[in-house]
Amino acid sequence: MRRSRRLVLSAAALGLALAATGCTYLSPVQTHDFYQAGDGTNANLEMDGAFYAGVRNAVLVFGEDGSAVFSGTAVNYSDESVTVDLEGLSEGQGVFSAQVEVPARSTVEMGPGEGQQLVPVGEVDVLPGTILDLKVTAGGEETTVSLPTLETSFSHLEFGQPAEG
């Protein structure tokens, strides 16, 4: 009887070990998938089946005074300089537009910070939390993605002010 009890306990221990470690065996590795890791949204433009240009982590942030600031990064995957056109839309009406010249295989940060290109945003008649449209155009390719709007109550979104800490 002792021998069968050991066998049952060993089998149960093996089964528990396999169950505890097996859940990740069938799960895909997240680093193999492209995903939105930040608060903003991404737009990709492809040419000939490869990434050509785009925007990363685009977001419109409202300050305490109600003014809006566009933040994001324009990217260029091509071997030539590219002009990325951005147009923010609210119910089909233009809120802002800008052109960003991005050198070959490079990025340009947009926002109010030092070294960033400022994208002028007019008066926006929406509340933070509203989803706008962002039309991104480069090299004759175009896409429209959702553009989140946030307020600066999140400590990591304090634009134009040094972070406390």
PDB file of all heavy atoms in Angstrom, residues 30-31 33-38 42:
ATOM      1  N   GLN A  30       4.582  37.870 -25.963  1.00  0.00           N
ATOM      2  CA  GLN A  30       4.096  39.208 -26.301  1.00  0.00           C
ATOM      3  C   GLN A  30       5.132  40.043 -27.047  1.00  0.00           C
ATOM      4  O   GLN A  30       4.788  40.892 -27.845  1.00  0.00           O
ATOM      5  CB  GLN A  30       3.647  39.952 -25.032  1.00  0.00           C
ATOM      6  CG  GLN A  30       3.016  41.294 -25.324  1.00  0.00           C
ATOM      7  CD  GLN A  30       1.795  41.200 -26.203  1.00  0.00           C
ATOM      8  OE1 GLN A  30       0.882  40.449 -25.926  1.00  0.00           O
ATOM      9  NE2 GLN A  30       1.760  41.946 -27.282  1.00  0.00           N
ATOM     10  N   THR A  31       6.401  39.810 -26.817  1.00  0.00           N
ATOM     11  CA  THR A  31       7.412  40.607 -27.501  1.00  0.00           C
ATOM     12  C   THR A  31       7.491  40.291 -28.990  1.00  0.00           C
ATOM     13  O   THR A  31       8.152  41.008 -29.733  1.00  0.00           O
ATOM     14  CB  THR A  31       8.804  40.398 -26.867  1.00  0.00           C
ATOM     15  OG1 THR A  31       9.106  38.999 -26.875  1.00  0.00           O
ATOM     16  CG2 THR A  31       8.844  40.939 -25.461  1.00  0.00           C
ATOM     17  N   ASP A  33       4.763  40.279 -30.825  1.00  0.00           N
ATOM     18  CA  ASP A  33       3.617  40.972 -31.402  1.00  0.00           C
ATOM     19  C   ASP A  33       3.768  42.469 -31.236  1.00  0.00           C
ATOM     20  O   ASP A  33       4.165  42.952 -30.176  1.00  0.00           O
ATOM     21  CB  ASP A  33       2.311  40.528 -30.723  1.00  0.00           C
ATOM     22  CG  ASP A  33       2.039  39.052 -30.921  1.00  0.00           C
ATOM     23  OD1 ASP A  33       2.363  38.542 -32.010  1.00  0.00           O
ATOM     24  OD2 ASP A  33       1.509  38.425 -29.989  1.00  0.00           O
ATOM     25  N   PHE A  34       3.410  43.240 -32.282  1.00  0.00           N
ATOM     26  CA  PHE A  34       3.435  44.694 -32.216  1.00  0.00           C
ATOM     27  C   PHE A  34       2.170  45.145 -31.489  1.00  0.00           C
ATOM     28  O   PHE A  34       1.070  44.718 -31.824  1.00  0.00           O
ATOM     29  CB  PHE A  34       3.456  45.264 -33.640  1.00  0.00           C
ATOM     30  CG  PHE A  34       3.617  46.744 -33.676  1.00  0.00           C
ATOM     31  CD1 PHE A  34       4.840  47.318 -33.366  1.00  0.00           C
ATOM     32  CD2 PHE A  34       2.562  47.550 -34.013  1.00  0.00           C
ATOM     33  CE1 PHE A  34       4.991  48.684 -33.391  1.00  0.00           C
ATOM     34  CE2 PHE A  34       2.707  48.911 -34.035  1.00  0.00           C
ATOM     35  CZ  PHE A  34       3.923  49.485 -33.732  1.00  0.00           C
ATOM     36  N   TYR A  35       2.319  45.952 -30.466  1.00  0.00           N
ATOM     37  CA  TYR A  35       1.157  46.395 -29.697  1.00  0.00           C
ATOM     38  C   TYR A  35       1.360  47.816 -29.184  1.00  0.00           C
ATOM     39  O   TYR A  35       2.470  48.323 -29.180  1.00  0.00           O
ATOM     40  CB  TYR A  35       0.886  45.440 -28.535  1.00  0.00           C
ATOM     41  CG  TYR A  35       1.944  45.462 -27.441  1.00  0.00           C
ATOM     42  CD1 TYR A  35       1.739  46.163 -26.257  1.00  0.00           C
ATOM     43  CD2 TYR A  35       3.138  44.790 -27.606  1.00  0.00           C
ATOM     44  CE1 TYR A  35       2.710  46.190 -25.279  1.00  0.00           C
ATOM     45  CE2 TYR A  35       4.102  44.804 -26.625  1.00  0.00           C
ATOM     46  CZ  TYR A  35       3.881  45.508 -25.465  1.00  0.00           C
ATOM     47  OH  TYR A  35       4.840  45.543 -24.492  1.00  0.00           O
ATOM     48  N   GLN A  36       0.280  48.448 -28.773  1.00  0.00           N
ATOM     49  CA  GLN A  36       0.303  49.805 -28.245  1.00  0.00           C
ATOM     50  C   GLN A  36       0.717  49.759 -26.774  1.00  0.00           C
ATOM     51  O   GLN A  36      -0.064  49.368 -25.930  1.00  0.00           O
ATOM     52  CB  GLN A  36      -1.090  50.421 -28.339  1.00  0.00           C
ATOM     53  CG  GLN A  36      -1.718  50.323 -29.677  1.00  0.00           C
ATOM     54  CD  GLN A  36      -1.531  51.559 -30.492  1.00  0.00           C
ATOM     55  OE1 GLN A  36      -1.341  51.458 -31.666  1.00  0.00           O
ATOM     56  NE2 GLN A  36      -1.558  52.697 -29.912  1.00  0.00           N
ATOM     57  N   ALA A  37       1.909  50.191 -26.486  1.00  0.00           N
ATOM     58  CA  ALA A  37       2.400  50.114 -25.121  1.00  0.00           C
ATOM     59  C   ALA A  37       2.141  51.389 -24.330  1.00  0.00           C
ATOM     60  O   ALA A  37       2.306  51.414 -23.130  1.00  0.00           O
ATOM     61  CB  ALA A  37       3.897  49.830 -25.123  1.00  0.00           C
ATOM     62  N   GLY A  38       1.753  52.465 -24.976  1.00  0.00           N
ATOM     63  CA  GLY A  38       1.562  53.737 -24.288  1.00  0.00           C
ATOM     64  C   GLY A  38       0.126  54.191 -24.305  1.00  0.00           C
ATOM     65  O   GLY A  38      -0.793  53.448 -24.637  1.00  0.00           O
ATOM     66  N   ASN A  42      -0.905  54.350 -32.656  1.00  0.00           N
ATOM     67  CA  ASN A  42       0.098  54.242 -33.717  1.00  0.00           C
ATOM     68  C   ASN A  42      -0.587  54.197 -35.072  1.00  0.00           C
ATOM     69  O   ASN A  42      -1.681  53.653 -35.207  1.00  0.00           O
ATOM     70  CB  ASN A  42       0.932  52.980 -33.550  1.00  0.00           C
ATOM     71  CG  ASN A  42       1.703  52.968 -32.256  1.00  0.00           C
ATOM     72  OD1 ASN A  42       2.075  54.017 -31.728  1.00  0.00           O
ATOM     73  ND2 ASN A  42       1.958  51.794 -31.732  1.00  0.00           N
TER      74      ASN A  42
END
